[in-house]
Amino acid sequence: MQVTAWSDLQAFLAIARAGQLARAAHVLGLDATTMGRRLRRLEARLGASLFEQTREGQVLTEAGERLLAQVEGMAASAAGIAESAGSAGDLAGSLRISVPEGFGSWFLSRHVAAFAAAHPRLTLDLVANSGLLSLSKREADIAVSLSRPRAGPVIARKLSDYALRLYASPVYFARAGAVERAADLTRGHDLVGYIPDLLYDPGLDYLGEIHPGLEVRMRSSSINAQQRLLAAGAGIGVLPCFIGDADQALVPVLPERRILRTFWLVTHKDTHQLARVRAGKDWLAAAVQREREILLAHQ
Amino acid sequence: MQVTAWSDLQAFLAIARAGQLARAAHVLGLDATTMGRRLRRLEARLGASLFEQTREGQVLTEAGERLLAQVEGMAASAAGIAESAGSAGDLAGSLRISVPEGFGSWFLSRHVAAFAAAHPRLTLDLVANSGLLSLSKREADIAVSLSRPRAGPVIARKLSDYALRLYASPVYFARAGAVERAADLTRGHDLVGYIPDLLYDPGLDYLGEIHPGLEVRMRSSSINAQQRLLAAGAGIGVLPCFIGDADQALVPVLPERRILRTFWLVTHKDTHQLARVRAGKDWLAAAVQREREILLAHQ
DNA sequence: GCGGTAACCTGCATAAATGCAGGTCATAGC
DNA sequence: GCTATGACCTGCATTTATGCAGGTTACCGC
């Protein structure tokens, strides 16, 4: 349809500004495959190649440079619209976001001030619990979950992948000895983990990916409690890297054993277009995009 | 998705410029229901009502006026893009359009010069035959058909409704007497129509909608031939109003008996995004939009 | 040539958008 | 109140877009 013309220009602009197709995709909340398709479609529509592929990403061609100058003009006008909407339709009321405990306290907590500053009349309820509030029951406006909900009147989209690793304190190693291989964990080592009966998400069953047969000695339903146990030298456990790497008292164990999980952004289908809900979604997406290196923790 | 933001602004602009939601929908090749949805979505996103409904259509609210000023800025930049694309990517080659014979000769023929002027290096093949060329076999780039193709690698979208009526010459009435009711056609009148065995589209079977049991005395597979027969006083027949009303030698018979049919715009799914194919589609859509009163022939 | 990084492609399942038709509602002129 | 005109709503089928995963290709530094 003709109306995709402007939105493909918007996609083009995002790529030009990001310098990388995948990064632009993430900024706009699209899959990279989709962003590639949109770019191809725009190029077909204009009959011109807009980017050359380089090792670092996409570099504008001459035609792309010319187009960018014009699309920047559109963007300037669009920015004025967003600004007017921001002031004229200043968000008020409250926004309740239910997130995994660790994500809330160790990651989002340093982004809340920016959100509050941007929306002075909006009250943000950041519910960081073991277990999530129900969107179906309208207990929260937005949820960040560890698995994608398949049923119910909700819309889910991938927020970000994140990495986890085993961590322990040097204090613990001094007491219990080093770990050379995963098999070492089956004997003579104390493991910290979740309470199997109280897993609020099957994705929290990490140890099965480290080595079969590992048994947890000290259990908690709270990732914050687990982190403190590890920092105090109580044992070895799996933490998201954005927590483990941030705690100076901890070091990674078998760092090559890197587990990946995904955060999902979930909203209710009836309210996902509300301005304050979209503001929350955009804020979350921008936050994880800005710190995706920390979330992915390649090394 | 966020990328719909710009396309919804494009939809808003079309409504603001057209003054009517349905007209704007047609300009952008959307259904009016869809256009309404997009408007609602934009209003939800911006938290503002953009139009007030009046009897004549949509009138901008204050918020709408402010938004329009900004979106016009985007449109000015977008116009520059279209202009650059038009000149930089000046269309060349050929474009073959297969259309129903009457539509080609009586309607499109007066629009061809404008298209040719706009695309001086593009050769236009307007194939106006009884029966259409096959898009599946790439015999044509675009087809205008009387029914919507359901199978094959093609994309169909409604181009326009058009009206048909019975017509005859005053010369004929002088010879055969007047027609007061549809039933009069079953006796003492000569009917002109298509050859049943050679109907290239079931939609051409009009007489069944006038009155049951009507039999055609003079048959032709060519609408132009039928038109000439009627103009020469040979009988009564059904013509599209854009033909019948244009022929000074003809008058409508039982004008309240107005038949509606639909033209469908068909392209091949692999080539519908090609610039020259899109140019042809846009030209066709604009042409029927410009003369839709003639096509619909309310009175 | 190898390896790291990014993009592209394809198939397929899923989600979202769209089109259509029918019915109802809103606006105004008469 | 009636009528004409336009918009809105809903349900549902269809179409289109998107996401995902896996594999391949392209770009370059080493």
Side-chain angles (χ1 to χ4, degrees):
Chain A
M1 297 303 183
Q2 192 106 323
V3 295
T4 58
W6 282 27
S7 74
D8 286 345
L9 292 172
Q10 191 177 6
F12 162 78
L13 178 68
I15 300 171
R17 283 178 169 172
Q20 274 185 344
L21 190 140
R23 184 171 300 180
H26 202 100
V27 168
L28 291 188
L30 293 175
D31 193 80
T33 301
T34 302
M35 186 61 89
R37 287 177 179 136
R38 282 174 164 273
L39 177 59
R40 293 291 161 269
R41 184 168 69 188
L42 181 63
E43 287 177 327
R45 185 188 304 276
L46 297 177
S49 177
L50 301 173
F51 292 101
E52 285 165 15
Q53 182 182 345
T54 70
R55 183 168 182 277
E56 283 77 37
Q58 303 276 17
V59 172
L60 284 160
T61 60
E62 273 192 48
E65 297 265 5
R66 287 196 298 270
L67 180 64
L68 180 59
Q70 291 163 315
V71 175
E72 289 280 9
M74 294 180 72
S77 300
I81 295 165
E83 198 175 312
S84 303
S87 55
D90 194 12
L91 302 177
S94 69
L95 181 70
R96 177 167 292 183
I97 304 180
S98 179
V99 299
E101 187 194 3
F103 183 71
S105 34
W106 285 84
F107 183 88
L108 275 187
S109 52
R110 58 178 168 273
H111 295 274
V112 164
F115 184 84
H119 304 285
R121 290 173 57 233
L122 193 64
T123 300
L124 177 65
D125 294 336
L126 190 64
V127 183
N129 271 346
S130 312
L132 297 179
L133 300 179
S134 169
L135 293 193
S136 303
K137 296 174 184 171
R138 312 303 183 102
E139 292 171 348
D141 299 299
I142 300 176
V144 174
S145 71
L146 300 181
S147 60
R148 138 168 256 162
R150 295 282 178 189
V154 297
I155 291 173
R157 120 179 171 212
K158 184 172 174 176
L159 180 57
S160 181
D161 286 331
Y162 69 98
L164 307 97
R165 284 191 171 96
L166 287 164
Y167 289 89
S169 160
V171 169
Y172 173 79
F173 290 131
R175 169 165 74 77
V179 177
E180 307 294 337
R181 297 165 319 191
D184 293 345
L185 297 171
T186 62
R187 283 183 303 284
H189 281 292
D190 297 326
L191 296 174
V192 176
Y194 282 97
I195 304 170
D197 291 348
L198 294 180
L199 286 178
Y200 64 89
D201 196 290
L204 295 171
D205 186 9
Y206 308 121
L207 292 173
E209 286 183 43
I210 300 293
H211 195 279
L214 298 183
E215 288 190 8
V216 170
R217 295 274 330 273
M218 287 151 285
R219 311 196 301 192
S220 173
S221 60
S222 165
I223 193 68
N224 282 326
Q226 291 183 40
Q227 174 262 329
R228 287 199 194 92
L229 280 167
L230 298 180
I236 299 174
V238 174
L239 293 178
C241 295
F242 60 81
I243 298 178
D245 291 345
D247 190 333
Q248 304 285 358
L250 297 173
V251 296
V253 181
L254 303 177
E256 72 284 358
R257 288 306 191 90
R258 177 168 165 272
I259 301 169
L260 274 183
R261 286 290 186 275
T262 303
F263 285 129
W264 294 88
L265 183 60
V266 190
T267 45
H268 196 286
K269 67 192 296 183
D270 287 346
T271 55
H272 79 287
Q273 286 273 35
L274 290 181
R276 58 187 176 77
V277 172
R278 284 195 303 98
K281 284 159 63 180
D282 293 347
W283 166 64
L284 285 164
V288 301
Q289 173 62 22
R290 192 171 299 126
E291 299 201 40
R292 81 185 175 285
E293 296 304 326
I294 293 175
L295 287 167
L296 292 174
H298 285 294
Q299 195 34 282
Chain B
M1 294 305 180
Q2 194 105 324
V3 294
T4 58
W6 282 28
S7 73
D8 286 345
L9 292 173
Q10 191 178 6
F12 163 78
L13 178 69
I15 300 171
R17 284 178 169 172
Q20 273 185 345
L21 190 140
R23 184 170 299 180
H26 202 99
V27 167
L28 290 188
L30 293 175
D31 191 80
T33 301
T34 303
M35 186 61 90
R37 286 176 179 135
R38 282 173 162 272
L39 176 59
R40 292 290 161 269
R41 184 168 69 188
L42 181 62
E43 287 177 327
R45 185 189 304 275
L46 297 177
S49 178
L50 301 173
F51 292 101
E52 284 166 13
Q53 180 181 345
T54 71
R55 184 166 180 274
E56 283 80 34
Q58 303 277 16
V59 171
L60 284 162
T61 61
E62 275 191 46
E65 297 266 6
R66 288 197 297 269
L67 180 64
L68 180 60
Q70 291 164 314
V71 176
E72 290 280 10
M74 293 181 73
S77 300
I81 296 164
E83 197 174 313
S84 303
S87 56
D90 194 10
L91 301 176
S94 68
L95 182 71
R96 176 167 294 182
I97 304 182
S98 178
V99 297
E101 186 194 6
F103 183 71
S105 36
W106 285 83
F107 183 88
L108 276 187
S109 51
R110 57 178 169 273
H111 294 276
V112 166
F115 184 84
H119 303 287
R121 291 172 57 233
L122 193 64
T123 301
L124 177 65
D125 294 336
L126 190 66
V127 183
N129 271 346
S130 312
L132 297 180
L133 299 179
S134 168
L135 292 194
S136 303
K137 296 172 183 171
R138 314 303 185 100
E139 290 172 347
D141 299 301
I142 299 176
V144 175
S145 72
L146 300 183
S147 60
R148 144 170 250 160
R150 297 283 179 190
V154 296
I155 292 174
R157 118 177 175 213
K158 185 172 172 178
L159 180 57
S160 180
D161 286 330
Y162 68 99
L164 308 96
R165 285 190 171 94
L166 286 163
Y167 289 89
S169 159
V171 168
Y172 173 80
F173 289 131
R175 168 165 73 81
V179 175
E180 307 294 338
R181 298 169 317 201
D184 293 345
L185 297 170
T186 59
R187 283 183 305 280
H189 281 292
D190 296 328
L191 296 175
V192 176
Y194 282 95
I195 305 171
D197 291 348
L198 295 180
L199 287 180
Y200 64 89
D201 196 289
L204 294 171
D205 185 9
Y206 308 124
L207 291 174
E209 287 182 42
I210 300 294
H211 197 277
L214 297 183
E215 288 190 8
V216 170
R217 293 277 327 277
M218 287 151 284
R219 309 194 302 190
S220 173
S221 59
S222 164
I223 193 69
N224 281 325
Q226 293 182 38
Q227 176 262 328
R228 287 195 195 96
L229 280 166
L230 298 180
I236 299 173
V238 174
L239 293 177
C241 296
F242 59 82
I243 299 180
D245 290 344
D247 191 331
Q248 305 286 357
L250 296 173
V251 295
V253 181
L254 302 177
E256 74 283 357
R257 289 305 191 89
R258 175 167 166 268
I259 300 171
L260 275 182
R261 286 292 185 273
T262 304
F263 285 128
W264 294 88
L265 183 61
V266 190
T267 46
H268 195 286
K269 67 193 292 183
D270 287 347
T271 55
H272 80 286
Q273 286 275 33
L274 290 182
R276 58 187 177 77
V277 172
R278 282 193 307 98
K281 283 158 66 180
D282 292 347
W283 167 64
L284 285 165
V288 302
Q289 172 62 23
R290 191 170 301 129
E291 298 200 42
R292 79 184 175 286
E293 296 302 326
I294 293 176
L295 287 167
L296 292 175
H298 285 292
Q299 195 34 281

